Amino acid sequence: MAKIMVVDDAAFMRMMIKNTLTKNGYTDIVEAQDGAEAVAKFDEEKPDMVFMDITMPNMDGLQALKKIKEGHADARIVMCTAMGQQSMVVEAIKYGAKDFIVKPFNADRIVEAVNSILG
């Protein structure tokens, strides 16, 4: 079973994604509260896929994406963005993000992203 990391500074957002994943059979889920924690946990946990919020304290999602990609070029990361952050999405894709989903999350879109990346 695939291991998925969910990174968001809002516990409520992590819970929403986690619940959607669990309902769809993905139960091996690791959480991180910010980019710095995500980078540290990525090395330990080696997740198959990451949902990464863009706007977070300590280290934002773009910085964390860059850092993870430096050490793990094959990392599969989906950025989670609020409306109006298109320029950041373009940056994220440039740095190697595989996809992005827009808040408020649509459960089908979360599952679609997982299925397209993990097959």
Side-chain angles (χ1 to χ4, degrees):
M1 178 50 74
K3 182 186 287 190
I4 300 174
M5 183 186 286
V6 178
V7 187
D8 199 307
D9 54 321
F12 172 74
M13 286 297 175
R14 290 197 310 272
M15 192 184 76
M16 271 183 59
I17 295 176
K18 203 171 154 178
N19 289 347
T20 299
L21 293 171
T22 305
K23 277 184 200 136
N24 287 278
Y26 296 97
T27 53
D28 194 356
I29 299 168
V30 186
E31 295 182 52
Q33 296 180 44
D34 60 44
E37 188 183 357
V39 170
K41 277 193 170 176
F42 192 94
D43 286 331
E44 280 166 38
E45 299 284 350
K46 308 267 189 288
D48 298 292
M49 181 181 174
V50 179
F51 280 99
M52 176 94 66
D53 187 29
I54 289 183
T55 315
M56 295 181 288
N58 301 328
M59 181 189 287
D60 71 28
L62 288 178
Q63 292 168 309
L65 168 70
K66 268 193 261 187
K67 271 244 179 299
I68 290 170
K69 283 295 213 176
E70 279 167 18
H72 308 272
D74 59 347
R76 295 179 285 196
I77 301 174
V78 173
M79 303 308 285
C80 304
T81 168
M83 277 302 196
Q85 290 182 315
Q86 278 80 0
S87 63
M88 287 182 174
V89 168
V90 172
E91 285 283 278
I93 302 289
K94 243 194 314 206
Y95 297 133
K98 295 281 181 217
D99 199 352
F100 66 93
I101 55 176
V102 179
K103 295 176 183 179
F105 299 128
N106 168 326
D108 293 341
R109 183 67 187 95
I110 293 171
V111 174
E112 181 188 305
V114 172
N115 291 341
S116 79
I117 288 171
L118 299 179

